[in-house]
Every structure is written in C-alpha cells, then in structure tokens.
Amino acid sequence: MQTGAVVWMTGLSGSGKSTLANGLARELLQRGHAAYVLDGDVLRAGLLHGLTGVGAPYEPPLSPDLRIETSTSDMRDSLSPLVEYVLSRILQK
C-alpha cells in the first residue's frame, strides 16, 4: 500500500507549475508510485466555468514547504528538489 500525499503548487501563470507537476508524476510513476495530476487550468476550462478568484492577484504562501525558482532554473534543476522532497515525505511514513 502507498501513503497518500497532495502536492499543492502555487505561482504566477506561466511559471511552470503544470510542467513541474507532470514531470513529478512521470518520475513517481517510473519509481513505482501512483501519481495523478489535477491541473487547475484543465478544471477551469472544462468543469468550473465561472470559478471565483481566477482573476484575483496572486498571493504567495507565507511559509511554503518548498520554494522553486523556475525563472532562474531549467526544468531538470527545478524538478530535482521537488522529486526529492516528495519522495522524502511519502517514504518516511
């Protein structure tokens, strides 16, 4: 059995959240873990028409568990700490 976890990514539009999420899911699947990406853009486009808060300004979390600067790192350098962080959380239980 696998320990469940939710990884909630926040950031400005176009900052690479979906790309990182899909890369994380791919890495987890390759290592034998179940993974699924629930993408907010897909939800808004197909399911949640009229969702409130979409046009609101971005408010970064006050104390994130992990911060990845995608504007200054390439995909591999951004993905690596995310994979390590998630694996450390799901394997410690």
Side-chain angles (χ1 to χ4, degrees):
M1 183 154 69
Q2 177 175 310
T3 299
V6 174
V7 178
W8 191 297
M9 296 185 194
T10 68
L12 295 171
S13 179
S15 63
K17 297 178 301 290
S18 295
T19 304
L20 277 175
N22 288 315
L24 174 61
R26 193 170 34 257
E27 285 286 327
L28 292 173
L29 290 168
Q30 287 175 354
R31 295 168 189 238
H33 300 283
Y36 184 80
V37 175
L38 185 60
D39 190 311
D41 289 338
V42 173
L43 286 175
R44 282 188 294 279
L47 299 175
L48 302 174
H49 295 292
L51 180 69
T52 59
V54 173
Y58 174 65
E59 296 180 30
L62 297 176
S63 58
D65 291 334
L66 179 66
R67 182 181 175 106
I68 299 173
E69 293 289 343
T70 58
S71 62
T72 58
S73 301
D74 65 16
M75 174 48 85
R76 185 176 304 153
D77 290 340
S78 295
L79 185 58
S80 180
L82 178 59
V83 170
E84 289 176 25
Y85 176 80
V86 171
L87 286 174
S88 74
R89 295 296 187 170
I90 62 175
L91 296 178
Q92 75 178 355
K93 298 184 180 194

